[in-house]
Amino acid sequence: MAVRLPRLLDSGMKELARLNPVSLSIEENLSPLSTAEMVLPEGECAAETGQFVELYTSHGSAGIFRVQQAEQDYGGRVTLALEHGLTTLGDGIMPGESEQSGTTRQLVSAILACQPKTMWQL
């Protein structure tokens, strides 16, 4: 079975390009969320901080990840540090103390209501 190449996505989750990494490692976790590191060869399509990438394994999609950091070395290779796309939920939620009660649906709805731009829905 062949593994699909990672897809660079725009903010609307439309494919911009296929990436041809030199290496890719994915650390799948529930808590903290999954992370990945991908090294792109010199001249490969540039991915920028904040863009999205869909990663694949031999079992199918590993999920949507966001570029957390992009660093180019002297040889022209670019190393991307990726974090699972669910981290975008935290973008619009200001840290602070609060007390909430209710059903799981009510609590998740309250969290989702804090998004500055609706990316996730219940």
Side-chain angles (χ1 to χ4, degrees), residues 6 8 11 16 18 27 31 37-38 50-51 71 73 75 77 81 88 91 99 106 108-109 114 119 121:
L8 181 63
S11 61
L16 297 173
R18 289 284 176 162
E27 186 173 324
S31 180
E37 183 175 281
M38 180 171 27
Q51 284 188 297
E71 289 186 355
D73 67 15
R77 287 184 173 193
T88 58
D91 292 350
E99 199 170 301
Q106 291 168 329
V108 172
S109 292
C114 295
M119 293 184 69
Q121 301 178 55

Side-chain angles (χ1 to χ4, degrees), residues 14-84:
K14 291 189 168 101
E15 184 176 315
L16 297 173
R18 289 284 176 162
L19 303 174
N20 294 289
V22 173
S23 67
L24 171 63
S25 63
I26 303 171
E27 186 173 324
E28 294 182 294
N29 300 311
L30 290 176
S31 180
L33 291 174
S34 299
T35 58
E37 183 175 281
M38 180 171 27
V39 178
L40 299 173
E42 179 182 6
E44 179 67 27
C45 178
E48 299 174 4
T49 302
Q51 284 188 297
F52 294 96
V53 178
E54 184 172 15
L55 301 178
Y56 298 92
T57 67
S58 58
H59 302 291
S61 177
I64 305 290
F65 287 73
R66 180 171 62 177
V67 179
Q68 179 182 25
Q69 185 176 6
E71 289 186 355
Q72 187 171 4
D73 67 15
Y74 293 111
R77 287 184 173 193
V78 176
T79 300
L80 302 177
L82 305 163
E83 56 189 356
H84 196 278

Side-chain angles (χ1 to χ4, degrees), residues 1-17:
M1 173 185 262
V3 176
R4 292 176 63 185
L5 292 174
R7 298 184 319 136
L8 181 63
L9 307 168
D10 67 12
S11 61
M13 300 300 147
K14 291 189 168 101
E15 184 176 315
L16 297 173

